[in-house]
Amino acid sequence: MFDRRLYHEVCRELRAPEEKIEEILTMTKTNSPKKHRRPVRTALVAAAAVAMMAVGVSAANPQAVQNMFVQIATVVRVDEFRQEMTTTDGEQMTVLSLPKIQVENRDGRAVLVVDEEETDITDALAQDGSYVYEKATQEGTKLTVTVKGSGAEDWTMEVSMFEDGEEVLSYSGKSGEDSLGVGGSIEGMPEDWEVNVGEGEENISAAITVTDSSGCVALDKTVSD
Amino acid sequence: MTEEAFGHAVRTYGDTVYRVALHALKNPADAEDVMQTVMLRLLESGRDFESEEHLKHWILRVAVNESRKVLRSFWRRTSVPLEEWRDGPAPEDREKTELLRAVMGLETKYRLTVYLYYYEGCTVAEVAAALGANPSTVQTWLLRARKRLRRELREEEEKEEPGYVRPQIVP
């Protein structure tokens, strides 16, 4: 039987490490609160995302891609969508972080959800056939979501991200597909390529490989925190 | 948000966020990352909350969403066995281990529902708001979760060897 009292005891014993709490508390004490060292997981996700974008750029000429080894020195959060990564070689990369974006059907109403922000776009779709959501940050990043269609069960969506006016990322979706989010297909990446991240030494490094359907390695990155 | 208010929020809700993320991701390291992300978002949001309840429910909603981002990511760590959780139940506490294993064996939505409803004391409506679901859906999830837990925990009891007697406090 499900013992609720026992479950309470179990959950009370699940506690975050004190050193992690202290680390979070010190975020307010730095001179520049936005600059902080991100955990290994985020750095690895960031690196994998960069790998995917780099692969996208190189897709036209896979023969030219060579093995690359990247060591991340710092990750700086620029705004809610963008992080700037600097390798130990001084190379700078931009990592884009996409919020949850989906169109939900709630009792026949089309609701656009961007992270926690919800907008009923049913009437806009019915009247204009489209709805555009835009969010810009002071640091020059802009997220644009364009939904076209007739209603909650018939729509297409284009998501674009701009950095200082230049489009850096775009992808699309439509009703009937799984909701979009981080890791959605990125323009330029061949469909038969696969990104894999395998862990190296515990919490120290990870190897990111990209292979095509024949198993040939197109890109090989090792990142560490 | 003042530094003092932020400190209060971290001390009060840090473990809450950690537990939500742990129930969602079944990985302590990922749960710590989510906790840091959620608290950073709180710090940067600059929001004024009407009440402590308002703050709590905002934090729960963001914790669930941030956990889902990790789940949706094309890369994430695999689940870590319960025995490797440094803050899990002591190995000799069999009942607790079995209960936690049973809860963690549920689907993600059922795990989160069970945690928010039974431990955080959220109402069905509050659980629905945190999970972005309809209240009637949450009711269904609760029923199914309880049913599966009953079945799972009954099977665990039946697996015990004949003659085994659980230690009990004799009044």
Side-chain angles (χ1 to χ4, degrees):
Chain A
M1 290 295 292
F2 178 59
D3 186 335
R4 299 175 193 190
R5 181 193 55 79
L6 192 63
Y7 181 62
H8 260 255
E9 284 181 30
V10 168
C11 287
R12 254 202 306 276
E13 292 171 10
L14 300 175
R15 307 201 58 184
E18 183 58 30
E19 60 265 22
K20 195 68 185 180
I21 298 282
E22 291 299 328
E23 187 184 321
I24 291 170
L25 287 170
T26 59
M27 286 196 301
T28 57
K29 294 185 173 59
T30 59
N31 290 335
S32 179
K34 288 187 178 179
K35 293 185 181 181
H36 57 277
R37 193 70 184 274
R38 298 292 285 177
V40 172
R41 178 190 67 76
T42 305
L44 292 174
V45 172
V50 168
M52 286 182 72
M53 285 186 274
V55 163
V57 168
S58 308
N61 188 10
Q63 301 284 337
V65 176
Q66 300 173 359
N67 288 345
M68 287 193 283
F69 293 90
V70 174
Q71 287 210 324
I72 300 171
T74 59
V75 178
V76 173
R77 188 182 178 111
V78 176
D79 56 33
E80 64 186 284
F81 300 127
R82 195 153 52 108
Q83 298 176 56
E84 300 288 342
M85 212 164 51
T86 305
T87 69
T88 52
D89 294 330
E91 190 179 352
Q92 288 197 322
M93 302 179 191
T94 299
V95 178
L96 302 174
S97 175
L98 297 166
K100 163 190 169 184
I101 303 174
Q102 62 190 49
V103 176
E104 296 180 357
N105 182 347
R106 295 187 189 171
D107 298 323
R109 307 289 298 181
V111 178
L112 173 64
V113 180
V114 180
D115 226 349
E116 275 90 48
E117 205 176 326
E118 298 181 353
T119 309
D120 188 328
I121 61 172
T122 312
D123 296 334
L125 290 180
Q127 286 171 9
D128 306 324
S130 67
Y131 178 83
V132 178
Y133 168 96
E134 282 188 351
K135 185 166 187 180
T137 69
Q138 289 182 341
E139 288 75 18
T141 312
K142 187 169 84 168
L143 173 72
T144 302
V145 180
T146 304
V147 182
K148 293 182 180 177
S150 58
E153 294 186 0
D154 173 36
W155 51 266
T156 60
M157 175 162 63
E158 292 280 337
V159 177
S160 300
M161 192 164 280
F162 299 85
E163 186 182 329
D164 296 324
E166 187 183 338
E167 187 178 84
V168 292
L169 181 72
S170 72
Y171 63 86
S172 59
K174 59 183 180 182
S175 50
E177 289 179 345
D178 289 339
S179 63
L180 303 170
V182 175
S185 61
I186 294 180
E187 190 175 274
M189 177 163 167
E191 286 182 4
D192 65 343
W193 285 31
E194 184 179 310
V195 177
N196 292 299
V197 179
E199 290 195 13
E201 294 178 20
E202 188 180 37
N203 292 335
I204 301 297
S205 67
I208 301 172
T209 59
V210 179
T211 56
D212 63 16
S213 55
S214 65
C216 295
V217 176
L219 181 70
D220 192 328
K221 280 181 182 284
T222 298
V223 296
S224 62
D225 186 24
Chain B
M1 176 170 270
T2 65
E3 189 176 322
E4 188 184 345
F6 179 70
H8 165 76
V10 172
R11 287 277 178 212
T12 307
Y13 299 111
D15 285 338
T16 298
V17 177
Y18 178 75
R19 289 181 197 121
V20 167
L22 198 56
H23 276 73
L25 305 171
K26 299 198 289 186
N27 184 296
D30 281 344
E32 288 176 31
D33 291 350
V34 168
M35 183 179 68
Q36 182 167 12
T37 302
V38 171
M39 290 307 167
L40 180 63
R41 287 193 59 180
L42 176 64
L43 183 63
E44 292 179 342
S45 71
R47 289 177 72 129
D48 287 321
F49 295 93
E50 297 162 4
S51 63
E52 195 69 19
E53 281 295 299
H54 185 203
L55 169 62
K56 178 183 174 180
H57 291 297
W58 184 91
I59 283 177
L60 285 176
R61 202 164 62 247
V62 174
V64 169
N65 286 339
E66 289 297 330
S67 299
R68 281 177 173 160
K69 282 183 186 175
V70 176
L71 282 170
R72 282 199 301 269
S73 171
F74 57 80
W75 173 84
R76 63 181 294 259
R77 292 186 179 90
T78 56
S79 301
V80 175
L82 269 180
E83 290 74 19
E84 294 181 24
W85 290 14
R86 59 178 177 279
D87 52 356
E92 61 272 12
D93 204 322
R94 183 177 168 152
E95 263 190 297
K96 286 183 180 176
T97 303
E98 282 174 8
L99 178 57
L100 188 57
R101 194 189 305 280
V103 172
M104 290 303 177
L106 299 172
E107 291 172 43
T108 310
K109 58 191 177 193
Y110 297 153
R111 294 198 298 271
L112 285 170
T113 303
V114 165
Y115 174 74
L116 292 172
Y117 187 79
Y118 288 112
Y119 186 77
E120 291 299 333
C122 296
T123 64
V124 168
E126 288 165 348
V127 174
L131 301 183
N134 289 324
S136 56
T137 304
V138 169
Q139 290 275 24
T140 304
W141 289 349
L142 273 172
L143 278 169
R144 287 181 184 162
R146 281 197 288 260
K147 193 174 170 184
R148 290 185 193 183
L149 285 172
R150 262 200 306 273
R151 187 175 63 220
E152 179 67 27
L153 293 168
R154 190 165 51 231
E155 282 175 6
E156 281 298 320
E157 285 179 13
E158 288 169 358
K159 274 184 203 168
E160 290 174 5
E161 294 176 358
Y164 171 80
V165 178
R166 287 184 186 276
Q168 289 182 358
I169 298 174
V170 180

